[in-house]
Amino acid sequence: MQQTKRTLRRALPMLLLLAGVLLLSACGEQPMVLDPKGPIASDQKDLILISSLLCAVILFPVLGLTAYIVWKYREREGSTAAYEPHFSHSTKLELIWWGIPILIIIILAAVTARYTYALEPTKPIESEKKAITIQATSLDWKWLFTYPEQGIATVNYLQIPEDVPVKFELTSDAPMNSFWIPQLGGQMYTMSGMGMTLFLQADHEGRYYGSGANFSGEYFGDMKFFVDVKPQSQFDAWVQEVKASPEKLTNDSYEKLAEKGTSPVVLYSSFPEGLFQRIVTKYAPGGHAHGQHNEPTPQSKTDPVQQPLPDAKEDHTQGGSTGTDHSGHTGH
């Protein structure tokens, strides 16, 4: 019986190691955030790996030493381990277990600050090609994408040209949500009455997964979409194909679309001018949520007039930033 117990105790570490290997082998599919397809997601992956490596420098020695000390100094018959009840201080050990973590925290802070500045969501991506603008609006429970420069709109589907920066303008006409394409970059919140900017780019042709990353109700799980990345010529051909389709997004059909419910993929050959700006200013004084559809007016002599946000098409022709440029709470 004693022999059996000793055998089990000796075999326990190997069994735990084998269980760990089997557990990790089940994670065969690589997480999307670790398979970047654009410059923003690639830099974010580097930051994740650097941070994990620096944390591992502390974590693995601490866990290893803990297991070793528990094993070596366990109570057992005939133990010969040194017993030093008067030990209380070692300058060398204090320097090791305080100095190394402090040094790693300083390095981690410097690396994080550098990447945080470089990955600021509203910062345009350096490229020889002009960025295209796509306006993304989260609804209950679907995504509306409008292309102001192409004059088309889609529901739960995106197509973008390869190797071209994309300036996403984000808002919500429903509860707060979060726009996320994991292989192109980090998520950013969409909020009613606010316009946020997020620059992304896809360097590789393919189909990528996108979703709402913030719980927003019963059919939150259906707020997902695919992003097809095509060469510029195929993207231009797709735009012409959509513009030739009979389906148009009107003010009335938008109000219907904004009602609670899921939706299949829909392509619209046109959409109402200024729709995105109207959604952003919906809850501002004079917005249509206050019962007016015309130009906003002050509610009193002391209230400021809420000016409509500039049209994205006009902005691009001028080369400036739009009035929707606000720092996001989360992104990149």
Side-chain angles (χ1 to χ4, degrees):
M1 188 65 179
Q2 289 296 328
Q3 181 63 31
T4 303
K5 288 183 177 178
R6 279 198 293 272
T7 302
L8 287 175
R9 280 201 298 269
R10 290 172 181 171
L12 184 60
M14 292 303 297
L15 291 174
L16 291 175
L17 180 61
L18 180 61
V21 171
L22 291 175
L23 183 64
L24 291 176
S25 65
C27 305
E29 189 173 347
Q30 188 177 28
M32 286 185 283
V33 292
L34 298 181
D35 185 22
K37 299 299 181 184
I40 300 301
S42 180
D43 284 351
Q44 289 174 343
K45 176 189 173 183
D46 291 343
L47 180 58
I48 291 172
L49 294 180
I50 292 172
S51 301
S52 300
L53 181 62
L54 290 173
C55 292
V57 171
I58 298 176
L59 182 65
F60 285 109
V62 169
L63 293 179
L65 282 173
T66 301
Y68 173 76
I69 289 171
V70 169
W71 176 262
K72 181 174 178 58
Y73 295 102
R74 71 190 187 281
E75 180 60 29
R76 56 182 173 174
E77 186 178 352
S79 174
T80 58
Y83 177 59
E84 300 179 9
H86 303 297
F87 174 82
S88 62
H89 178 76
S90 170
T91 301
K92 184 185 295 183
L93 291 177
E94 293 284 350
L95 287 174
I96 291 174
W97 61 53
W98 282 107
I100 293 177
I102 289 174
L103 180 62
I104 289 176
I105 289 173
I106 292 173
I107 296 174
L108 188 60
V111 171
T112 303
R114 175 182 172 278
Y115 274 92
T116 300
Y117 175 76
L119 296 172
E120 208 283 320
T122 63
K123 194 174 181 179
I125 297 173
E126 293 184 4
S127 174
E128 295 179 352
K129 299 177 180 176
K130 179 185 175 184
I132 69 167
T133 300
I134 298 177
Q135 298 159 334
T137 303
S138 60
L139 303 171
D140 268 340
W141 290 276
K142 63 206 72 105
W143 288 96
L144 171 65
F145 302 107
T146 49
Y147 294 65
E149 294 152 345
Q150 288 73 25
I152 61 172
T154 63
V155 174
N156 291 338
Y157 177 75
L158 267 178
Q159 187 166 143
I160 59 176
E162 178 186 9
D163 200 29
V164 174
V166 180
K167 178 184 180 182
F168 285 101
E169 295 179 349
L170 310 173
T171 191
S172 176
D173 199 4
M176 186 177 80
N177 213 297
S178 186
F179 177 80
W180 191 27
I181 307 173
Q183 288 181 278
L184 300 188
Q187 60 91 27
M188 174 173 272
Y189 288 129
T190 61
M191 290 175 277
S192 299
M194 293 188 67
M196 282 71 71
T197 298
L198 173 67
F199 277 90
L200 297 176
Q201 179 175 310
D203 290 338
H204 304 276
E205 187 179 348
R207 166 166 283 197
Y208 306 117
Y209 173 83
S211 73
N214 195 72
F215 180 75
S216 60
E218 184 177 4
Y219 294 102
F220 147 77
D222 290 327
M223 290 193 66
K224 50 193 174 187
F225 56 90
F226 284 109
V227 185
D228 281 334
V229 179
K230 302 285 186 180
Q232 183 70 53
S233 59
Q234 293 185 27
F235 171 76
D236 293 339
W238 173 77
V239 170
Q240 294 306 315
E241 181 182 337
V242 176
K243 290 178 75 71
S245 63
E247 192 82 22
K248 300 179 186 296
L249 182 65
T250 63
N251 286 321
D252 289 340
S253 58
Y254 172 74
E255 295 300 329
K256 186 71 176 175
L257 180 69
E259 293 177 357
K260 288 187 176 182
T262 59
S263 172
V265 171
V266 185
L267 307 178
Y268 297 106
S269 58
S270 65
F271 63 91
E273 185 177 355
L275 175 63
F276 183 80
Q277 287 72 23
R278 189 155 54 86
I279 295 171
V280 173
T281 57
K282 179 177 180 178
Y283 298 100
H288 69 276
H290 292 262
Q292 297 188 29
H293 295 264
N294 301 320
E295 289 295 320
T297 55
Q299 303 303 298
S300 70
K301 293 182 179 179
T302 58
D303 286 343
V305 176
Q306 179 67 36
Q307 296 296 334
L309 295 175
D311 185 80
K313 186 184 295 184
E314 296 175 358
D315 166 70
H316 271 264
T317 60
Q318 296 169 359
S321 60
T322 72
T324 58
D325 286 353
H326 301 283
S327 295
H329 293 255
T330 308
H332 280 194

